Protein backbone atom coordinates (compact mmCIF):
# COMPACT_ATOMS: atom_id res chain seq x y z
CA UNK A 1 0.00 0.00 0.00
CA UNK A 2 1.24 3.49 -0.75
CA UNK A 3 1.17 6.78 1.12
CA UNK A 4 -1.97 7.99 2.95
CA UNK A 5 -4.31 10.57 1.49
CA UNK A 6 -2.71 13.98 0.95
CA UNK A 7 -3.80 16.75 3.28
CA UNK A 8 -6.66 18.92 2.10
CA UNK A 9 -5.57 21.91 0.05
CA UNK A 10 -6.12 25.12 1.97
CA UNK A 11 -5.88 27.52 -0.97
CA UNK A 12 -8.86 29.77 -1.43
CA UNK A 13 -11.07 28.72 -4.30
CA UNK A 14 -14.37 29.61 -5.91
CA UNK A 15 -17.37 27.65 -4.72
CA UNK A 16 -18.80 25.47 -7.48
CA UNK A 17 -22.48 24.73 -7.10
CA UNK A 18 -23.89 21.24 -7.61
CA UNK A 19 -24.69 20.91 -11.29
CA UNK A 20 -27.20 18.64 -12.96
CA UNK A 21 -26.05 15.67 -14.99
CA UNK A 22 -25.50 16.47 -18.68
CA UNK A 23 -28.67 16.61 -20.76
CA UNK A 24 -27.50 13.73 -22.96
CA UNK A 25 -27.71 11.30 -20.03
CA UNK A 26 -31.16 10.09 -21.06
CA UNK A 27 -29.79 8.98 -24.43
CA UNK A 28 -27.00 6.89 -22.88
CA UNK A 29 -27.62 3.16 -22.71
CA UNK A 30 -24.36 1.90 -21.23
CA UNK A 31 -23.15 4.65 -18.90
CA UNK A 32 -24.34 6.29 -15.72
CA UNK A 33 -23.44 9.98 -15.50
CA UNK A 34 -23.34 12.06 -12.33
CA UNK A 35 -22.20 15.65 -11.94
CA UNK A 36 -20.87 16.76 -8.55
CA UNK A 37 -19.89 20.40 -8.88
CA UNK A 38 -16.85 20.54 -11.14
CA UNK A 39 -16.43 16.74 -11.05
CA UNK A 40 -18.05 14.61 -13.76
CA UNK A 41 -18.49 10.92 -12.86
CA UNK A 42 -18.74 8.47 -15.77
CA UNK A 43 -19.60 4.91 -14.75
CA UNK A 44 -19.55 1.95 -17.13
CA UNK A 45 -22.96 0.52 -16.33
CA UNK A 46 -23.41 -2.91 -17.86
CA UNK A 47 -22.23 -5.06 -14.91
CA UNK A 48 -24.22 -8.07 -16.14
CA UNK A 49 -21.86 -8.06 -19.16
CA UNK A 50 -18.77 -7.36 -17.06
CA UNK A 51 -18.83 -3.76 -18.36
CA UNK A 52 -17.53 -5.09 -21.68
CA UNK A 53 -16.25 -2.38 -24.02
CA UNK A 54 -18.80 -2.78 -26.79
CA UNK A 55 -19.56 -0.55 -29.77
CA UNK A 56 -22.41 0.98 -27.75
CA UNK A 57 -20.05 1.80 -24.89
CA UNK A 58 -17.60 3.46 -27.27
CA UNK A 59 -20.41 5.53 -28.81
CA UNK A 60 -21.66 6.63 -25.40
CA UNK A 61 -18.17 7.51 -24.18
CA UNK A 62 -17.54 9.59 -27.29
CA UNK A 63 -20.82 11.45 -26.85
CA UNK A 64 -19.71 12.47 -23.35
CA UNK A 65 -15.98 13.02 -23.85
CA UNK A 66 -15.86 14.73 -27.24
CA UNK A 67 -18.24 17.53 -26.27
CA UNK A 68 -16.71 18.59 -22.93
CA UNK A 69 -18.21 21.12 -20.55
CA UNK A 70 -15.51 23.75 -19.84
CA UNK A 71 -16.68 24.04 -16.22
CA UNK A 72 -15.65 20.43 -15.53
CA UNK A 73 -12.24 20.21 -13.82
CA UNK A 74 -12.15 16.46 -13.07
CA UNK A 75 -13.57 13.42 -14.88
CA UNK A 76 -13.82 10.16 -12.91
CA UNK A 77 -14.14 6.92 -14.89
CA UNK A 78 -15.40 3.88 -12.97
CA UNK A 79 -17.21 0.58 -13.52
CA UNK A 80 -20.39 -0.66 -11.86
CA UNK A 81 -20.50 -4.00 -10.07
CA UNK A 82 -17.68 -6.38 -9.26
CA UNK A 83 -15.30 -5.54 -12.14
CA UNK A 84 -14.12 -2.35 -13.79
CA UNK A 85 -14.25 -3.97 -17.25
CA UNK A 86 -13.64 -7.43 -18.67
CA UNK A 87 -12.49 -5.90 -21.96
CA UNK A 88 -13.69 -6.03 -25.54
CA UNK A 89 -16.62 -8.08 -26.83
CA UNK A 90 -15.26 -10.84 -29.07
CA UNK A 91 -18.75 -11.68 -30.32
CA UNK A 92 -18.90 -8.23 -31.91
CA UNK A 93 -15.59 -8.86 -33.68
CA UNK A 94 -16.94 -12.16 -34.99
CA UNK A 95 -20.04 -10.36 -36.23
CA UNK A 96 -17.95 -7.75 -38.03
CA UNK A 97 -15.94 -10.47 -39.79
CA UNK A 98 -19.07 -12.37 -40.74
CA UNK A 99 -20.51 -9.20 -42.29
CA UNK A 100 -17.27 -8.30 -44.08
CA UNK A 101 -14.36 -10.79 -44.06
CA UNK A 102 -11.95 -8.02 -45.09
CA UNK A 103 -12.38 -6.44 -41.65
CA UNK A 104 -13.91 -3.03 -42.45
CA UNK A 105 -16.12 -3.18 -39.32
CA UNK A 106 -13.13 -3.94 -37.11
CA UNK A 107 -11.23 -1.03 -38.64
CA UNK A 108 -14.10 1.33 -37.87
CA UNK A 109 -14.43 0.03 -34.31
CA UNK A 110 -10.68 0.28 -33.74
CA UNK A 111 -10.60 3.86 -34.94
CA UNK A 112 -13.43 4.66 -32.53
CA UNK A 113 -11.52 3.02 -29.65
CA UNK A 114 -8.51 5.19 -30.37
CA UNK A 115 -10.70 8.31 -30.35
CA UNK A 116 -12.09 7.35 -26.94
CA UNK A 117 -8.67 6.81 -25.38
CA UNK A 118 -7.31 10.01 -26.91
CA UNK A 119 -10.35 11.89 -25.62
CA UNK A 120 -9.55 10.70 -22.08
CA UNK A 121 -5.85 11.55 -22.36
CA UNK A 122 -6.40 14.86 -24.15
CA UNK A 123 -9.42 16.03 -22.13
CA UNK A 124 -8.97 19.53 -20.67
CA UNK A 125 -9.96 18.15 -17.24
CA UNK A 126 -7.87 15.79 -15.15
CA UNK A 127 -9.12 12.24 -15.72
CA UNK A 128 -9.15 9.73 -12.86
CA UNK A 129 -9.61 5.98 -13.25
CA UNK A 130 -11.24 4.19 -10.29
CA UNK A 131 -10.60 0.47 -10.75
CA UNK A 132 -11.91 -2.50 -8.79
CA UNK A 133 -12.02 -6.18 -9.65
CA UNK A 134 -10.71 -7.02 -13.10
CA UNK A 135 -9.54 -4.62 -15.80
CA UNK A 136 -8.70 -6.74 -18.83
CA UNK A 137 -7.52 -5.79 -22.32
CA UNK A 138 -9.62 -2.85 -23.49
CA UNK A 139 -10.62 -2.23 -19.86
CA UNK A 140 -6.95 -1.80 -18.95
CA UNK A 141 -6.54 0.54 -21.94
CA UNK A 142 -9.28 2.80 -20.56
CA UNK A 143 -7.61 2.84 -17.15
CA UNK A 144 -4.22 3.65 -18.60
CA UNK A 145 -5.61 6.49 -20.74
CA UNK A 146 -6.46 8.42 -17.55
CA UNK A 147 -4.10 10.86 -15.82
CA UNK A 148 -4.51 9.46 -12.32
CA UNK A 149 -5.29 5.83 -11.53
CA UNK A 150 -6.35 4.31 -8.23
CA UNK A 151 -7.19 0.65 -7.71
CA UNK A 152 -8.55 -1.53 -4.94
CA UNK A 153 -6.22 -3.97 -3.18
CA UNK A 154 -8.03 -6.85 -4.92
CA UNK A 155 -7.87 -5.31 -8.41
CA UNK A 156 -6.19 -7.36 -11.14
CA UNK A 157 -5.09 -6.67 -14.69
CA UNK A 158 -4.34 -8.77 -17.75
CA UNK A 159 -3.43 -8.48 -21.43
CA UNK A 160 -4.90 -11.65 -22.99
CA UNK A 161 -4.86 -10.53 -26.63
CA UNK A 162 -2.00 -12.72 -27.84
CA UNK A 163 -3.54 -15.89 -26.37
CA UNK A 164 -6.77 -14.99 -28.18
CA UNK A 165 -4.98 -14.62 -31.51
CA UNK A 166 -5.10 -10.81 -31.46
CA UNK A 167 -2.36 -8.19 -31.64
CA UNK A 168 -2.01 -5.80 -28.71
CA UNK A 169 -3.51 -3.04 -30.82
CA UNK A 170 -6.49 -1.34 -29.20
CA UNK A 171 -6.87 2.34 -28.42
CA UNK A 172 -3.14 3.05 -28.35
CA UNK A 173 -2.69 0.70 -25.39
CA UNK A 174 0.79 -0.57 -26.29
CA UNK A 175 2.57 2.80 -26.71
CA UNK A 176 0.97 4.03 -23.47
CA UNK A 177 2.17 0.94 -21.65
CA UNK A 178 5.68 1.32 -23.07
CA UNK A 179 5.76 4.97 -22.06
CA UNK A 180 4.39 4.49 -18.53
CA UNK A 181 5.81 1.06 -17.64
CA UNK A 182 8.86 0.30 -19.80
CA UNK A 183 9.65 -2.11 -22.62
CA UNK A 184 11.07 -5.07 -20.68
CA UNK A 185 8.14 -5.34 -18.27
CA UNK A 186 5.53 -4.76 -20.98
CA UNK A 187 7.09 -7.41 -23.22
CA UNK A 188 6.77 -9.98 -20.44
CA UNK A 189 3.17 -9.04 -19.63
CA UNK A 190 2.10 -9.16 -23.29
CA UNK A 191 3.89 -12.38 -24.23
CA UNK A 192 2.81 -14.34 -21.16
CA UNK A 193 -0.66 -12.79 -20.79
CA UNK A 194 -0.43 -13.47 -17.05
CA UNK A 195 -2.62 -11.54 -14.60
CA UNK A 196 -0.97 -9.09 -12.26
CA UNK A 197 -2.37 -7.65 -9.07
CA UNK A 198 -2.76 -4.18 -7.64
CA UNK A 199 0.56 -4.02 -5.80
CA UNK A 200 2.49 -5.04 -8.94
CA UNK A 201 0.42 -2.55 -10.95
CA UNK A 202 1.50 0.11 -8.44
CA UNK A 203 5.17 -0.85 -8.80
CA UNK A 204 4.82 -0.72 -12.60
CA UNK A 205 3.06 2.71 -12.50
CA UNK A 206 -0.08 1.25 -14.04
CA UNK A 207 -1.64 2.53 -10.80
CA UNK A 208 -0.52 5.47 -8.67
CA UNK A 209 -2.46 4.44 -5.55
CA UNK A 210 -3.79 1.22 -4.04
CA UNK A 211 -6.40 1.27 -1.26
CA UNK A 212 -8.98 -1.07 0.27
CA UNK A 213 -12.06 -1.23 -1.95
CA UNK A 214 -14.23 0.62 0.57
CA UNK A 215 -11.75 3.53 0.42
CA UNK A 216 -11.77 3.98 -3.36
CA UNK A 217 -14.22 6.89 -3.28
CA UNK A 218 -12.22 8.62 -0.54
CA UNK A 219 -9.03 8.20 -2.58
CA UNK A 220 -10.72 9.71 -5.64
CA UNK A 221 -11.98 12.62 -3.52
CA UNK A 222 -8.48 13.17 -2.10
CA UNK A 223 -7.31 13.88 -5.63
CA UNK A 224 -10.42 15.62 -6.95
CA UNK A 225 -11.05 18.04 -4.07
CA UNK A 226 -7.84 20.08 -4.48
CA UNK A 227 -7.99 19.83 -8.28
CA UNK A 228 -11.37 21.57 -8.50
CA UNK A 229 -9.81 24.51 -6.64
CA UNK A 230 -7.03 24.96 -9.16
CA UNK A 231 -7.40 27.84 -11.64
CA UNK A 232 -8.96 26.34 -14.75
CA UNK A 233 -6.51 27.86 -17.23
CA UNK A 234 -3.44 26.69 -15.29
CA UNK A 235 -4.91 23.21 -14.93
CA UNK A 236 -5.64 22.99 -18.64
CA UNK A 237 -2.16 24.18 -19.61
CA UNK A 238 -0.47 21.73 -17.23
CA UNK A 239 -2.44 18.92 -18.86
CA UNK A 240 -1.20 20.10 -22.24
CA UNK A 241 2.38 20.24 -20.94
CA UNK A 242 2.25 16.72 -19.52
CA UNK A 243 0.96 15.38 -22.84
CA UNK A 244 3.51 17.39 -24.83
CA UNK A 245 6.46 16.23 -22.74
CA UNK A 246 5.26 12.63 -22.89
CA UNK A 247 5.09 12.78 -26.68
CA UNK A 248 8.87 12.47 -27.35
CA UNK A 249 8.83 9.09 -25.57
CA UNK A 250 6.16 8.00 -28.05
CA UNK A 251 7.62 9.43 -31.27
CA UNK A 252 7.30 6.01 -32.86
CA UNK A 253 3.69 5.73 -31.68
CA UNK A 254 2.04 3.66 -34.38
CA UNK A 255 -1.34 3.48 -32.66
CA UNK A 256 -2.93 5.10 -35.71
CA UNK A 257 -2.43 1.67 -37.29
CA UNK A 258 -4.09 -0.24 -34.43
CA UNK A 259 -7.38 -0.73 -36.23
CA UNK A 260 -5.62 -1.79 -39.44
CA UNK A 261 -3.45 -4.30 -37.59
CA UNK A 262 -6.38 -5.76 -35.68
CA UNK A 263 -8.49 -6.08 -38.82
CA UNK A 264 -5.66 -7.62 -40.85
CA UNK A 265 -4.81 -10.27 -38.24
CA UNK A 266 -8.43 -11.26 -37.64
CA UNK A 267 -9.23 -11.36 -41.35
CA UNK A 268 -6.15 -13.52 -41.98
CA UNK A 269 -7.04 -15.83 -39.08
CA UNK A 270 -10.58 -16.23 -40.38
CA UNK A 271 -9.29 -17.00 -43.87
CA UNK A 272 -6.88 -19.61 -42.52
CA UNK A 273 -9.62 -21.20 -40.42
CA UNK A 274 -11.86 -21.40 -43.47
CA UNK A 275 -9.37 -22.40 -46.17
CA UNK A 276 -6.50 -23.90 -44.18
CA UNK A 277 -2.79 -23.09 -44.36
CA UNK A 278 -1.39 -22.34 -47.80
Amino acid sequence: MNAPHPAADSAAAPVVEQAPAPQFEEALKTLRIRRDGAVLHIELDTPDQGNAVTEAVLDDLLSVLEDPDPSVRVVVLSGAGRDFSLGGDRTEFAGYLAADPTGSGIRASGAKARRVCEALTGHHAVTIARAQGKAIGAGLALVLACDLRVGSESASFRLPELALGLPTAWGGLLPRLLSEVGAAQVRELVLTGRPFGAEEALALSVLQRVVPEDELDAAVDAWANPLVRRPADALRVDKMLFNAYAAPARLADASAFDSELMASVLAASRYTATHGET
Side-chain angles (χ1 to χ4, degrees), residues 36-256:
D36 184 11
V39 181
L40 179 66
H41 293 265
I42 303 174
E43 183 179 53
L44 307 177
D45 192 31
T46 56
D48 55 327
Q49 302 171 34
N51 296 320
V53 186
T54 62
E55 192 81 3
V57 169
L58 293 176
D59 286 336
D60 283 351
L61 284 170
L62 284 175
S63 71
V64 177
L65 295 170
E66 289 197 328
D67 186 21
D69 182 337
S71 68
V72 170
R73 308 284 183 88
V74 176
V75 173
V76 179
L77 181 64
S78 62
R82 177 166 49 183
D83 299 306
F84 177 82
S85 173
L86 299 184
D89 186 343
R90 282 182 288 162
T91 61
E92 282 194 339
F93 280 7
Y96 296 145
L97 282 176
D100 180 2
T102 66
S104 62
I106 292 170
R107 289 182 182 88
S109 179
K112 195 175 294 184
R114 186 167 183 262
R115 283 171 57 198
V116 167
C117 290
E118 288 185 343
L120 282 167
T121 299
H123 201 285
H124 72 269
V126 175
T127 51
I128 299 175
R130 176 197 183 280
Q132 83 288 354
K134 296 176 182 177
I136 298 175
L140 175 54
L142 292 178
V143 169
L144 204 68
C146 293
D147 300 307
L148 300 174
R149 306 177 289 271
V150 60
S152 67
E153 292 174 331
S154 59
S156 65
F157 307 85
R158 188 159 59 94
L159 296 164
E161 287 79 4
L162 187 58
L164 298 173
L166 304 173
T168 308
W170 194 95
L173 170 61
L174 190 55
R176 282 188 174 89
L177 274 171
L178 292 169
S179 176
E180 297 280 277
V181 175
Q185 293 93 333
V186 171
R187 189 179 298 116
E188 191 263 343
L189 293 174
V190 168
L191 294 180
T192 66
R194 67 173 178 83
F196 56 101
E199 290 297 336
E200 184 174 1
L202 181 65
L204 292 171
S205 297
V206 170
L207 297 177
Q208 290 126 318
R209 293 205 65 193
V210 173
V211 298
E213 187 163 341
D214 61 1
E215 295 180 18
L216 276 172
D217 289 333
V220 168
D221 289 343
W223 278 335
N225 290 341
L227 284 169
V228 299
R229 294 192 288 268
R230 301 292 184 254
D233 289 341
L235 192 64
R236 175 177 52 80
V237 170
D238 263 354
K239 275 271 312 219
M240 293 172 64
L241 287 171
F242 280 124
N243 288 334
Y245 285 124
R250 305 207 319 239
L251 283 177
D253 183 351
S255 62

